[in-house]
Amino acid sequence: MKKIKTKGFTLIECIIALGFMAILTLILLPSLNNISRVNQESQDKIRMIYALEEAIEKNKNQPIGEYSYDIDGFELEVIIEEYSLGLKKISASCDGYSLDLVR
C-alpha cells in the first residue's frame, strides 16, 4: 500500500503558529502603545506652536499690555512690551513654551 502525501498544515502546526503570533503580539503591543503616545504628544506640541503663532499674529498691532486668549484649546498669555526705540517685543507663552517676535 502506497502512502499519499497530503498538502497543507496539521492542526498542531496551526495551533503552534497561532501561539507564536500571540506571543509576538504581547511583546510588541507595549512598543506600539508607546509609539502612539509619543505621536500624540508631538501633535499636541505642533498644535501649540501654531496657536502661539496665531496669538502673535493677532497682536501685531495691539498696544503695549498683557492679553489672554484661548486658541485651539490652549490658554495663551501674550505680553507686549517696548523693546527699544520704535520696536515692540511680543511674547506668547503657554505651558512652558514661549514664542517671541520683535517688531
Side-chain angles (χ1 to χ4, degrees):
M1 187 180 215
K2 195 174 191 183
K3 283 189 177 181
I4 300 174
K5 283 197 169 190
T6 59
K7 294 181 182 179
F9 297 104
T10 65
L11 181 59
I12 298 289
E13 290 170 332
C14 288
I15 290 173
I16 290 172
L18 286 173
F20 282 134
M21 288 183 1
I23 290 170
L24 285 174
T25 302
L26 289 174
I27 291 170
L28 294 177
L29 196 59
S31 296
L32 293 174
N33 285 336
N34 188 35
I35 289 170
S36 176
R37 182 184 52 78
V38 168
N39 184 37
Q40 184 62 43
E41 289 173 358
S42 182
Q43 287 179 352
D44 289 344
K45 288 177 184 177
I46 290 169
R47 283 183 39 239
M48 183 183 300
I49 290 169
Y50 282 126
L52 291 170
E53 289 175 350
E54 185 176 339
I56 286 179
E57 282 296 320
K58 282 185 175 182
N59 288 285
K60 280 186 174 178
N61 297 318
Q62 293 284 5
I64 292 173
E66 294 184 18
Y67 305 91
S68 294
Y69 296 97
D70 184 341
I71 299 174
D72 201 17
F74 297 105
E75 291 292 324
L76 304 171
E77 298 294 324
V78 177
I79 299 173
I80 303 172
E81 56 193 4
E82 186 150 343
Y83 184 72
S84 69
L85 190 62
L87 294 175
K88 292 190 298 187
K89 178 181 177 186
I90 305 170
S91 300
S93 62
C94 178
D95 295 336
Y97 291 92
S98 179
L99 191 62
D100 298 332
L101 172 71
V102 175
R103 179 170 185 208

